């Protein structure tokens, strides 16, 4: 969907992925979903939203690394 520039469809899929990650505790999947949301909003030129999702992804990664190093 993202490659076809079907951004609304992409966002819907990534929101589903986020919900799955949140409910199952799958931090790796949640990180990918947040990052992909950031990419989607970046391509839509909504840089504020893109930054918000990139930060969420980075926060999970930082916390994950801190817990496992």
């Amino acid at each position: 969907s993202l490659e076809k520039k079907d951004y609304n469809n992409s966002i819907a899929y990534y929101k589903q992925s986020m919900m799955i990650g949140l409910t199952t505790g799958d931090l790796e999947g949640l990180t990918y979903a947040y990052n992909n949301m950031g990419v989607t909003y970046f391509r839509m030129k909504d840089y504020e939203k893109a930054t918000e999702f990139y930060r969420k992804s980075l926060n999970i990664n930082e916390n994950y690394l801190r817990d496992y190093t």
Side-chain angles (χ1 to χ4, degrees):
S1 295
L2 190 56
E3 296 304 319
K4 294 179 183 178
K5 297 185 181 181
D6 186 0
Y7 299 126
N8 291 328
N9 209 17
S10 294
I11 289 170
Y13 286 127
Y14 296 140
K15 283 183 179 180
Q16 287 178 340
S17 294
M18 286 187 298
M19 291 306 299
I20 291 169
L22 288 169
T23 57
T24 64
D26 178 10
L27 296 181
E28 185 177 354
L30 187 57
T31 300
Y32 283 118
Y34 283 152
N35 187 69
N36 288 335
M37 286 286 280
V39 170
T40 303
Y41 281 114
F42 184 84
R43 289 185 179 179
M44 293 171 68
K45 299 188 185 335
D46 187 341
Y47 303 117
E48 189 173 325
K49 278 263 200 200
T51 301
E52 174 187 337
F53 283 102
Y54 288 143
R55 285 194 176 133
K56 287 182 179 190
S57 178
L58 285 172
N59 285 337
I60 291 173
N61 276 329
E62 288 173 357
N63 291 332
Y64 180 79
L65 287 173
R66 189 173 333 124
D67 290 343
Y68 292 97
T69 55

